[in-house]
Amino acid sequence: MSRRDGVGGWLGRRASTAERHALGALGVATAAVLLVVFYYPVLTVFADAVRIGDAWSLDVVREVLEDPFYFGPLAAVFAGDFGSVGAVAADTPLGRFGFTAYQAALSTLASVALGLPGAYVLARYEFPGRRTVRSLTILPFVLPSIMVAIGFVAFFGSAGPLNDLLARFGLGRVNLLFTLEAIVVAHAFYNAPLVARVTTAAWESVDARTVETARSLGASPRRAFLDVLVPQLLPAVLTGALLTFVFTFMSFPIVLALGGFQLATVEVWVYSLVQQLDYAEAATLAVVETVLSLALTYAYLRYESSQSGGSRAANPPARKRLVPETPSAGALAERVGVAAYAGVVAVVFLGPLASMVAESLTGPQGFTLQYYQFLLERQATGASFQTKPGVAVRNSLLFGAAALAVALPMGVTVSVLTTRSGRAERLADAAAMAPLAVSGVVVGLGMLRGLVFGVEVWGHRLQIAGPTAIVAAHAVAAYPFVVRNVSPLLGGLDRSMVESARALGASRVRALIDVELPLVASGVAAGAAFAFAISIGEFDSTVILATGSSSYTMPVAVERYIGNRTLGPATAMGTVLLAVTSLSFVVIDRLGGRWEA
Amino acid sequence: MTDLRLRGVSKSFGEVTALRDVSLDVADGEFFTLVGPSGCGKTTTLRAIAGFETPDAGSVAFGDREMAGVAPEDRDVGVVFQNYALFPHMTVAENVAYGLRFREVPGGGSREERVAELLELVDLAGFGDREPDELSGGQRQRVALARALAPGPEVLLLDEPMSALDARLRQRLRTQVRAIQSELAITTVYVTHDQEEALAISDRVAVMNGGRVEQVGAPEAVYRRPATRFVAEFLGDNNVFTGEVDGGAVRVGASRFRVAGLDAPDGAPVTLCVRPEHLAVGDATNAFEATVETVEFLGEAFRASLDWDGREVTLRVPERPEARRLTVGFEPDDAHVVSVDGREPAVRRVEE
């Protein structure tokens, strides 16, 4: 026995066995939840694709692959019928998949084109409210996509503000509804801020001395920009573009509302097949889509990790003022460009939301509250099969709180277990992040076909209720955002902090509670607010799981109110949704959230 | 008694081997220093003792307690890191008291008394209510030391605790750390890359290189009788010559050097070293002629770099050498043989 044992050693409050294994237990629980509410449903969809009745069969897969409606000329190639490629190409040049990729590519180009000037302004200019604008670039992530879609419908409509604006300038009317252009612009609304944000971050981490060195070596400002700055920004731009492509490839509500079934992407087509109860074909399409989006996400993750080569010395160049100190023709021209860009941004980003609110207050005879009155009446007197706004609000808030309660511990656990990881942990990280890459429609479909319809487990019929499934789907969609908010902060903590606590006698879980969590509290809070907002706005899986039931949420209610001749009720419901979402954004902001999701 | 014993400890990180068969004994109450260049494995050794790394092979024991499978929180170690690792969301007093949440207060007093006692010990009485970011680097490091000592650990582990501080402060603080260690008589393992620091404060040092322990011994012994060429060159300046045995002396180039205690057959290749301060201008038993290349003024002495037929020789002398060509000499007692036949004993313990 040590002579110090008596005073310091074995008499103290040692950790209990449960405490010792708490983190491992949380990890197992998280894995189990993911398995049941994510991997199992997705596998259900995969199985649906290759089963007819009780027999395994690749017939449906082959049918889909060889159908020019889906794959255009590629279908002929898949069928081995090379002779007819030309004929098919003339008839259906793209197919659903081709069209999906095509609109994603156009949307990516538009997002980059709209986002890069924004990155330039945010990174190079100092102006009042710059930080606010910078943090607003996260907003699209928390804006419910169906609400944005409704906003664009109101905005683009033939009587909408865009046409009023064009008419004021003496320009002809355009009809953008149900056109590819509308989809692309709406996608840019979502993703240009993403491109702007990642590029701004890269720009702000550029070491100004690299540019100064190039100048001192004889490079002109333009050459220094091209030779030194652009190569440092390019990885960020590509990261943003790749992510945009993945998102727009899987985009659902925007295309559903703005493109309809005429301009359906694969995701929308899967949804329409589900509505027609053609599960086998829906599953097959979903499988092909999921394989493609997983491959794209994998490419993105590989690229991202190959680029994150240690933190550079952040010594960004000084920002310019909006009013140039030494007026010159060049400086003036640049400011005019910035002003024009600000105008475009105002139209694209404020237009749809403002139009939605305006539309909800505008009746045939001008200003009216009749649509809000309609919402109230529907709530008071609606039949049970009708969609009641109050129920939608209540469901949204309940599901949001429940999804948060599941997603937060899951996200924190995944962050803790995968930060500072070896190869095995990186694999676990990828597996845990897969929900980001799988569309909500697929998860929703899988849950519907599996746990909601019921499965036999060892002779017992296992079945979960619709609301439970919705909460599970929301939690799965939301927790990666908790991880993305918490992990960077956790990774930035000095590991000796935790090690000091442990050497002083704290178990791993105690060190987490006493030291790590207090230090990453802002990230946890932001992740929580994010998770809540994602749940509030989630549409893709909810619309499937809530079909024909009363567990609809606000976004689903918005969608159900479309279809009437007027946009009034839908925009009114959308405005209610906007109010709730704005509130959660304010909460995020007050909590000092980090916006690098 | 808390003596510390490492036996055959090896550790790899992927392709990189950090420790190869490290065996060490640290006596109860000893101040033991691991010194070596960055990447030599000294920090990994310390982390293996603390339980932050699990050795691939070998064992760590505190007294008769084997440490395999014992979590860091159950080892009764106090650890101080280079970057202090103070908990920024706690006051100084809360930091120091943190370890007392899990262990009985040593001496049986209250936590508050213990915290006050420790802050007193590190000369920070009255600093308890400060936030860590209100303190200077040296003060933070002393808080970290107080925090590590508060629960009364059996072993104190210090991982480059001074290297973030400036030279003058470092010297003052290391004297203070050594005084506290002596007062508590706590078994201490200290990691540093600074050989001067290692020689100044340790009871014994272990010189590490490439994941191995090259030599263990008291500072003077290791300095005067380096076991390997690496140790000879790492600890202070040294002149290393290679030659071969020729009639009881060592032939280096055209010169023959007499070396005390040379025990090797004729023709055997030999590496020997002579400290710059043991070379003198003027004739001696062993002498050679060399050309002065550069002279630096160090304050208390001059350091001259000479070229001796293509060999670089460093000389430390009290007066600035005026001539361009010098005769330089040393006595047989001042030469030390570090290897014979290219073989260096892997670990040679030199105890004085």
Side-chain angles (χ1 to χ4, degrees), chain B residues 134-146:
Chain B
E134 297 169 353
L135 304 181
S136 70
Q139 289 170 333
R140 286 183 209 188
Q141 198 52 287
R142 282 182 282 153
V143 174
L145 182 64

Side-chain angles (χ1 to χ4, degrees), chain A residues 186-278:
Chain A
H187 279 163
F189 173 96
Y190 257 92
N191 295 293
L194 173 89
V195 173
R197 198 171 64 252
V198 293
T199 312
T200 304
W203 213 318
E204 286 174 344
S205 73
V206 162
D207 189 343
R209 287 169 295 205
T210 57
V211 176
E212 286 162 2
T213 306
R215 294 292 303 279
S216 74
L217 291 169
S220 68
R222 215 179 72 87
R223 276 232 70 91
F225 180 81
L226 289 177
D227 294 348
V228 179
L229 201 63
V230 170
Q232 296 190 61
L233 299 184
L234 209 53
V237 177
L238 288 179
T239 304
L242 206 47
L243 211 49
T244 301
F245 190 86
V246 175
F247 286 154
T248 52
F249 190 84
M250 295 191 297
S251 160
F252 174 50
I254 297 271
V255 182
L256 181 68
L258 293 178
F261 292 117
Q262 303 94 304
L263 289 171
T265 54
V266 177
E267 184 91 352
V268 172
W269 207 255
V270 171
Y271 172 68
S272 86
L273 288 173
V274 171
Q275 300 255 293
Q276 296 157 30
L277 308 182
D278 187 350

Side-chain angles (χ1 to χ4, degrees), chain B residues 282-306:
Chain B
D283 209 5
T285 308
N286 301 314
F288 55 90
E289 230 181 61
T291 309
V292 178
E293 301 262 289
T294 59
V295 178
E296 290 171 359
F297 178 52
L298 302 178
E300 80 283 10
F302 290 89
R303 185 186 137 118
S305 288
L306 314 183

Side-chain angles (χ1 to χ4, degrees), chain A residues 392-469:
Chain A
V393 173
R394 189 202 66 200
N395 282 345
S396 276
L397 294 177
L398 277 180
F399 295 164
L404 175 62
V406 179
L408 198 60
M410 275 175 78
V412 170
T413 304
V414 169
S415 295
V416 172
L417 292 179
T418 58
T419 305
R420 257 175 243 120
S421 50
R423 187 170 301 173
E425 282 91 352
R426 268 203 299 280
L427 201 69
D429 191 25
M433 288 324 235
L436 271 185
V438 176
S439 78
V441 169
V442 173
V443 175
L445 175 60
M447 272 197 196
L448 189 70
R449 298 283 291 153
L451 293 167
V452 176
F453 288 177
V455 277
E456 295 277 339
V457 184
W458 294 301
H460 297 281
R461 187 148 186 83
L462 195 66
Q463 194 170 11
I464 62 175
T468 314

Side-chain angles (χ1 to χ4, degrees), chain A residues 13 20 494 499 502 514, chain B residues 47 73 83 89 98 101:
Chain A
R13 288 160 289 269
R20 245 164 241 283
D494 202 315
E499 289 173 348
R502 295 202 66 188
D514 289 346
Chain B
R47 294 174 59 78
E73 61 264 33
N83 52 12
H89 57 302
Y98 185 75
R101 296 189 194 182

Side-chain angles (χ1 to χ4, degrees), chain A residues 1-15 19-20 494-508 510-511 514-516 518-519, chain B residues 1-2 28 47 52 65 71-74 76-77 79 81 83 85-90 98-104 106-107 111 147 151-154 184-186:
Chain A
M1 285 295 279
S2 155
R3 74 184 131 80
R4 280 183 205 89
D5 278 355
V7 282
W10 299 99
L11 305 172
R13 288 160 289 269
R14 296 293 178 173
E19 189 178 321
R20 245 164 241 283
D494 202 315
R495 71 170 175 182
S496 56
M497 209 78 83
V498 172
E499 289 173 348
S500 291
R502 295 202 66 188
L504 290 167
S507 67
R508 182 68 193 84
R510 270 248 75 83
D514 289 346
V515 178
E516 285 171 294
L519 295 178
Chain B
M1 301 289 283
T2 311
D28 183 41
R47 294 174 59 78
F52 300 137
R65 283 167 62 205
E73 61 264 33
D74 299 332
D76 287 319
V77 292
V79 184
F81 290 100
N83 52 12
L86 296 181
F87 307 136
H89 57 302
M90 300 182 191
Y98 185 75
L100 302 174
R101 296 189 194 182
F102 310 105
R103 300 200 181 134
E104 290 289 309
R111 285 192 203 176
R147 181 178 69 177
E154 296 186 32
L184 301 177
I186 180 170

